[in-house]
Amino acid sequence: MSEHRVRFAALFDAEVRPHNERFRAAAAVQPGEDVLDVGCGTGESTREAAQAGANALGVDVSEQAIGKARELGGASFEVADVQAREFPAAAFDVVLSRFGAMFFADPPAAFANLARALRPGGRLVLLVWQERARNEWYSVLHDAVAPGTTPPPGGPHFSLGDRDHTDALLRAAGFGDVEFTELREPVCYGPDAATACEFALGLKDVQELRPTDEAATRLREAFTAYETPDGVLLGARTWIVTARVSRA
């Protein structure tokens, strides 16, 4: 997935532009703040924090993604797994994660580590997918690639979609003032159906369905129905999750 992520770096960023704009506003990064961007990918949200005047560090487990982020520049980047990386205590004012925190193999350990890395009153701002059944984009992919079949269990990128589960997880890790803001904005899979198909075929959700040549044809045909002057737009729902370190 890392190679695909790097190859389509610009499209991955453009895909979620309306969601990211709201995410950036919710983060409200201020000049001089120390910001940690978790699961930063190729670094767009890290660079945006730096452009706001923050001291921004982006971390990701993917060496390929971090390599691309460093190539693009604009902030500091590091290959790191926040479940195990020992950050200095109370080192950051803000922890951001745009579609990154969902992939923690050990969420309690990761969020507890991030809580320790935040200063008292420091804030956590996440952008995560809501549950899979609420996201039209997944239904379009599944119905085109594997029509008439039961979808496999939801992948890790839907792991924080349930509000009650995520609220309990964050509070157990040391966070309080947990709030959820729902976003209903389309995601863009590219300027046209052909690009959208090429992009989608590299996504893990599609690869898990083992697409055939016939499935790829159906997928391209499905995307044609969603072409607009602004690109191939599919319905999507996300949460912006905000919280603060509750310890004094």
Side-chain angles (χ1 to χ4, degrees):
M1 183 61 179
S2 293
E3 182 178 349
H4 185 71
R5 178 69 177 85
V6 172
R7 179 185 173 195
F8 285 95
L11 183 49
F12 270 102
D13 290 338
E15 175 196 6
V16 295
R17 187 74 65 212
H19 299 262
N20 184 62
E21 290 173 357
R22 297 280 298 278
F23 172 66
R24 184 172 61 245
V29 171
Q30 301 299 309
E33 287 188 316
D34 294 309
V35 176
L36 176 65
D37 184 13
V38 175
C40 68
T42 55
E44 182 183 45
S45 50
T46 320
R47 287 187 291 275
E48 289 176 343
Q51 290 164 4
N55 305 306
L57 171 63
V59 298
D60 199 287
V61 296
S62 169
E63 293 185 6
Q64 288 177 295
I66 291 297
K68 181 65 174 181
R70 287 171 174 163
E71 177 186 324
L72 294 170
S76 298
F77 299 97
E78 176 184 330
V79 178
D81 181 352
V82 301
Q83 296 167 130
R85 169 73 154 82
E86 294 185 6
F87 296 104
F92 298 99
D93 300 293
V94 188
V95 168
L96 305 175
S97 185
R98 188 186 79 178
F99 299 122
M102 307 170 299
F103 295 96
F104 293 149
D106 187 349
F111 283 117
N113 196 25
L114 294 176
R116 287 191 294 269
L118 279 166
R119 296 179 178 126
R123 60 194 189 276
L124 174 74
V125 188
L126 310 176
L127 180 61
V128 303
W129 296 113
Q130 291 190 33
E131 294 163 305
R132 187 173 68 181
R134 296 185 174 188
N135 278 282
E136 179 189 46
W137 59 263
Y138 181 84
S139 298
V140 172
L141 297 179
H142 175 267
D143 292 349
V145 176
T149 67
T150 301
H157 42 307
F158 298 107
S159 64
L160 299 178
D162 181 271
R163 288 184 57 166
D164 292 340
H165 166 76
T166 301
D167 181 271
L169 179 64
L170 293 178
R171 292 184 188 280
F175 292 97
D177 298 329
V178 182
E179 296 184 0
F180 293 78
T181 301
E182 181 179 44
L183 303 185
R184 298 187 185 186
E185 297 283 355
V187 289
C188 180
Y189 270 44
D192 51 53
T195 303
C197 185
E198 185 180 7
F199 173 68
L201 287 171
L203 299 177
K204 186 175 181 181
D205 288 293
V206 174
Q207 291 178 342
E208 287 178 344
L209 299 174
R210 301 187 179 186
T212 62
D213 290 342
E214 292 80 5
T217 299
R218 289 194 302 271
L219 188 60
R220 181 168 177 168
E221 291 173 348
F223 284 141
T224 299
Y226 290 88
E227 285 184 325
T228 77
D230 297 317
V232 178
L233 303 182
L234 308 177
R237 294 190 185 189
T238 57
W239 295 119
I240 292 176
V241 186
T242 59
R244 289 187 179 272
V245 172
S246 57
R247 56 183 167 80

